[in-house]
Amino acid sequence: QVQLVESGGGSVQAGGSLRLSCAASEYQYCMAWFRQAPGKERERVAAIAEDGSTHYAASVKGRFTISEDNAKNTLYLQMNNLKPEDTAMYYCAADQWGPRLCLLQDEFSYWGQGTQVTVSS
């Protein structure tokens, strides 16, 4: 069973930045960040495949950057120019998908507990 532990959430004002981290108990080929706001469906924010290719939701492209440190089995999400609509619980997800499915897939096998991000106007 792969364990995922997120950290780095918090409260910031609009225009601010946060960096989320997700520590995995073992390396996974495909990792992603999702978010879910109250009353809304879960949304995939960004994904990164084993070959380094990435995919972003249109709503965050140009503001968020997904990256990973394979030596530390850690996934990151740098979030800049945050907006109130970015407020949500952010979840880390992982699976062994190859690059093509990794950037399209929403059904991941492993999930973290989530970290709250709140952006005030």
Side-chain angles (χ1 to χ4, degrees), residues 25-103:
S25 58
E26 58 187 82
Y27 176 74
Q28 297 291 295
Y29 295 143
C30 173
M31 298 193 76
W33 288 99
F34 287 77
R35 67 185 181 186
Q36 188 166 22
K40 294 188 176 181
E41 292 190 355
R42 186 180 66 195
E43 173 190 24
R44 186 177 60 165
V45 175
I48 185 166
E50 60 176 317
D51 63 357
S53 55
T54 58
H55 183 270
Y56 295 91
S59 58
V60 306
K61 192 173 293 185
R63 299 188 297 121
F64 290 11
T65 303
I66 189 171
S67 62
E68 59 185 354
D69 184 336
N70 292 336
K72 297 181 179 179
N73 291 338
T74 301
L75 178 73
Y76 302 100
L77 185 69
Q78 178 67 43
M79 305 185 294
N80 297 328
N81 191 22
L82 282 160
K83 303 176 180 180
E85 51 264 42
D86 294 319
T87 295
M89 185 70 79
Y90 283 71
Y91 298 92
C92 172
D95 213 308
Q96 297 289 45
W97 305 113
R100 185 176 65 85
L101 285 177
C102 179
L103 303 186

